[in-house]
Amino acid sequence: AQSVTQPDIHITVSEGASLELRCNYSYGATPYLFWYVQSPGQGLQLLLKYFSGDTLVQGIKGFEAEFKRSQSSFNLRKPSVHWSDAAEYFCAVAAGKAAGNKLTFGGGTRVLVKP
Amino acid sequence: DTGVSQDPRHKITKRGQNVTFRCDPISEHNRLYWYRQTLGQGPEFLTYFQNEAQLEKSRLLSDRFSAERPKGSFSTLEIQRTEQGDSAMYLCASSLVVDINNEQFFGPGTRLTVL
């Protein structure tokens, strides 16, 4: 069964500083990987996804993520954080087609942005 | 189309009562998923439908839970004899099965509080 680990529960970053959120996955085949963001009282919004090809994926809101198969990682980065980036971030892996592509999420990383 | 909608957004109930939530997916989306998110955790898969057929149920879905998707459009999730442990955010997502990217679009969720 697939699993996702987000080692950092909370991260505090100053506005304008860079941000990196870690994600490690366990999956037997080529993974379909996702990063979602959840603001208070809101649903999940997709930031970016990886299926194949270029291992550096660009997403919305200036985010990017890099897939590293050798490390089973899919870390999310942003060069310069804005106050509006304060939210909870979830990494997820999709089960294959035969399993309905259901998502397995990590526990999330809450990002706090200091002025 | 305005995306996935869920109703109600909040529900407070007393232990032992029955509750029902509704999810309206994006029109034309033939896949519909239910997830549950408890405080401080990532969402966990509960069940999914393809059209009107319920194809998988998680072990998290006890006998007190039932989900339907009549006519393959909206879906309902009913919890009978609610327990305090059922308090959580219930998220619905929809996707198009032929979409190779299998992007799931999430609704805003229904927050259930069982007193």
Side-chain angles (χ1 to χ4, degrees), chain A residues 96-115:
Chain A
K97 273 188 179 180
N101 291 316
K102 58 183 182 286
L103 295 173
T104 298
F105 288 85
T109 298
R110 182 169 296 280
V111 173
L112 303 175
V113 180
K114 292 191 302 185

Side-chain angles (χ1 to χ4, degrees), chain A residues 42-108:
Chain A
Q42 303 296 313
L44 293 163
Q45 182 183 21
L46 181 67
L47 286 175
L48 47 77
K49 53 186 179 274
Y50 171 79
F51 292 97
S52 63
D54 193 348
T55 56
L56 186 62
V57 181
Q58 301 298 319
I60 63 171
K61 304 185 178 186
F63 284 93
E64 65 178 25
E66 186 171 13
F67 171 63
K68 292 186 178 179
R69 183 185 298 275
S70 61
Q71 298 177 18
S72 297
S73 69
F74 188 55
N75 294 348
L76 182 71
R77 297 192 293 254
K78 185 168 184 177
S80 178
V81 168
H82 187 262
W83 64 266
S84 60
D85 294 322
E88 188 144 27
Y89 293 79
F90 293 96
C91 181
V93 63
K97 273 188 179 180
N101 291 316
K102 58 183 182 286
L103 295 173
T104 298
F105 288 85

